[in-house]
Amino acid sequence: MAIRKIPQRKCIGCNESKDKRELLRVVRSPDGDISIDATGKKAGRGAYICKDTKCLALAKKGKRLEKAFDTTISEEIYSKLAQEIEDGE
């Protein structure tokens, strides 16, 4: 039986490649709405971040989500991400 390839994605906080399932996906829909994608299947541009508060702090400090989506990110999105990370731990 063939071994299936596990998709790798790069965290925008720590810049490390990890398994796609280990990361949270943040997506900008075609309408421009920013949301957290729990399923990993929403349409739109995605960015991945580790389930770690340190990576979230690095991404926020370097404005990496803003750069990935080419738009401003509200504090509400960061608080939702922080809540999602804390719920996962």
Side-chain angles (χ1 to χ4, degrees), residues 21-26 35-40 42 49-53 56 76-89:
R21 293 185 181 183
E22 293 178 19
L23 303 170
L24 284 174
R25 182 174 188 242
V26 183
S35 62
I36 299 170
D37 183 10
T39 62
K42 284 187 180 178
I49 189 163
C50 293
K51 297 176 183 176
D52 186 12
T53 54
L56 180 60
E76 180 182 338
I77 300 297
Y78 285 116
S79 62
K80 284 182 183 178
L81 276 170
Q83 184 65 37
E84 189 76 25
I85 289 170
E86 288 188 19
D87 289 346
E89 293 176 351

Side-chain angles (χ1 to χ4, degrees), residues 17-84:
S17 292
K18 297 186 179 184
D19 292 347
K20 184 178 175 182
R21 293 185 181 183
E22 293 178 19
L23 303 170
L24 284 174
R25 182 174 188 242
V26 183
V27 66
R28 183 189 74 202
S29 68
D31 300 335
D33 298 328
I34 308 288
S35 62
I36 299 170
D37 183 10
T39 62
K41 300 200 183 270
K42 284 187 180 178
R45 173 123 177 104
Y48 293 84
I49 189 163
C50 293
K51 297 176 183 176
D52 186 12
T53 54
K54 293 176 188 174
C55 287
L56 180 60
L58 284 171
K60 187 175 179 180
K61 182 179 177 184
K63 298 186 179 189
R64 294 180 184 166
L65 279 175
E66 283 91 343
K67 291 175 186 173
F69 296 135
D70 198 30
T71 186
T72 57
I73 306 294
S74 67
E75 191 61 38
E76 180 182 338
I77 300 297
Y78 285 116
S79 62
K80 284 182 183 178
L81 276 170
Q83 184 65 37
E84 189 76 25

